[in-house]
Amino acid sequence: MRKIVVQMSVSLDGFFEGPGGDIGWHQVDEELHQHFNDVIAPMGGFLSGRVSHEMMAAYWPTADQDPAASGPEREFARIWRDMPKIVYSRTLDHADWNATVVREVDVEQVRKLTAEAGGDLALGGADLAATFARHDLIDEYRIYVHPVLVGRGRRLFPDTETPTGLRLVESRVFGNGVVLLRHQRVR
């Protein structure tokens, strides 16, 4: 079975974006970007909300044509363009770049998707991740903790009444000080 994997960057104080949606504090250097490519390339697809998809679609389709783009950036542009995508949105009628728009998170539909052959599915977007978590659909969290205190913004994890059991399966420190904490859901 394919897994649903949340892969998000956060500040040490738990924010995935600062005030006004600022993510300029993310410290993605070539080493970390290459790691992202290595992890994402074998996946079977991206699951994202409208905001995340539109942010990605505004840059990645042509990023490899920028002469200033690094090798990992050019590689990710190709990965992103070619990877199948499901965009969860109540407002989009159409999404480009190998994307299918789905109106609602249907638990049975997601379970059928994970039962299909292929690589794991990368879940992006904090709001969509919260919805998937509420339905107990997330199998793994890959949280990249950046060595910065943002102070305020949007937290990755919303308040909840129910604890979720997780098991640490990997940790890694990158040269720029970012720390990967990879946890799998205890079932």
Side-chain angles (χ1 to χ4, degrees), residues 53-74:
H53 178 75
E54 288 179 339
M55 180 184 70
M56 299 295 281
Y59 180 72
W60 289 110
T62 59
D64 55 345
Q65 297 170 17
D66 181 351
S70 68
E73 288 172 319
R74 287 191 299 278

Side-chain angles (χ1 to χ4, degrees), residues 63-85:
D64 55 345
Q65 297 170 17
D66 181 351
S70 68
E73 288 172 319
R74 287 191 299 278
E75 180 183 358
F76 184 77
R78 290 186 293 275
I79 292 167
W80 189 86
R81 273 195 311 264
D82 294 344
M83 185 83 61
K85 299 162 200 62

Side-chain angles (χ1 to χ4, degrees), residues 34-143:
Q34 187 60 56
H35 165 80
F36 290 158
N37 292 353
D38 294 344
V39 168
I40 290 172
M43 289 193 161
F46 290 112
L47 309 175
S48 62
R50 178 191 57 80
V51 172
S52 294
H53 178 75
E54 288 179 339
M55 180 184 70
M56 299 295 281
Y59 180 72
W60 289 110
T62 59
D64 55 345
Q65 297 170 17
D66 181 351
S70 68
E73 288 172 319
R74 287 191 299 278
E75 180 183 358
F76 184 77
R78 290 186 293 275
I79 292 167
W80 189 86
R81 273 195 311 264
D82 294 344
M83 185 83 61
K85 299 162 200 62
I86 295 177
V87 180
Y88 290 89
S89 173
R90 293 182 192 104
T91 58
L92 280 182
D93 291 321
H94 173 76
D96 291 322
W97 306 107
N98 201 14
T100 302
V101 175
V102 174
R103 295 282 171 228
E104 301 284 335
V105 175
D106 177 315
V107 173
E108 288 310 311
Q109 182 185 40
V110 172
R111 288 194 176 123
K112 286 179 186 174
L113 189 61
T114 59
E116 292 176 3
D120 293 339
L121 302 167
L123 178 63
D127 293 337
L128 186 61
T131 300
F132 271 65
R134 221 175 13 260
H135 292 296
D136 195 27
L137 294 170
I138 298 174
D139 301 297
E140 184 171 304
Y141 293 87
R142 292 180 187 164
I143 306 302

